[in-house]
Amino acid sequence: MEPVQTKEVDQFIEHIDDHTKEITKSLRELIFQTSPNITEEMKWGKPCYIENGLVCYLQTAKKMRHIRIKQLDDIQPRKFLL
């Protein structure tokens, strides 16, 4: 099965700044090269890649914080109040 790039993701990439566009295109290509059965969709305003569930998505924001939660004990409410 050959992976298919969608028009929705093409349009998304066309509207981001050149530096981020170059990175996004390279990551997209890498995803397709390493996962030939992956499906590309736009979800939550982001390019998402699915193969037996969500594998990854491309977040093109320049500044973004995240909190990694792998188990219930990782939730630390005080960190959300900062």
Side-chain angles (χ1 to χ4, degrees):
M1 181 177 184
E2 192 69 27
V4 177
Q5 295 182 352
T6 65
K7 290 181 183 180
E8 293 83 10
V9 175
D10 289 339
Q11 292 170 348
F12 174 83
I13 291 172
E14 283 305 310
H15 291 95
I16 54 180
D17 67 83
D18 289 338
H19 175 73
T20 307
K21 185 182 298 186
E22 183 179 344
I23 293 168
T24 304
K25 284 181 175 182
S26 294
L27 288 170
R28 184 187 197 194
E29 184 177 318
L30 179 63
I31 290 166
F32 282 131
Q33 287 174 355
T34 58
S35 302
N37 296 320
I38 206 143
T39 301
E40 176 180 73
E41 295 179 23
M42 283 297 291
K43 289 185 174 204
W44 314 294
K46 303 172 188 54
C48 294
Y49 299 87
I50 297 114
E51 184 176 350
N52 298 321
L54 181 63
V55 174
C56 66
Y57 63 88
L58 300 178
Q59 174 63 34
T60 58
K62 291 183 179 174
K63 295 182 181 184
M64 181 178 162
R65 293 181 149 210
H66 71 279
I67 300 170
R68 189 174 304 259
I69 307 229
K70 292 187 176 184
Q71 58 189 11
L72 190 58
D73 291 340
D74 290 338
I75 299 173
Q76 298 176 20
R78 288 184 183 216
K79 289 190 176 186
F80 287 92
L81 301 174
L82 295 177

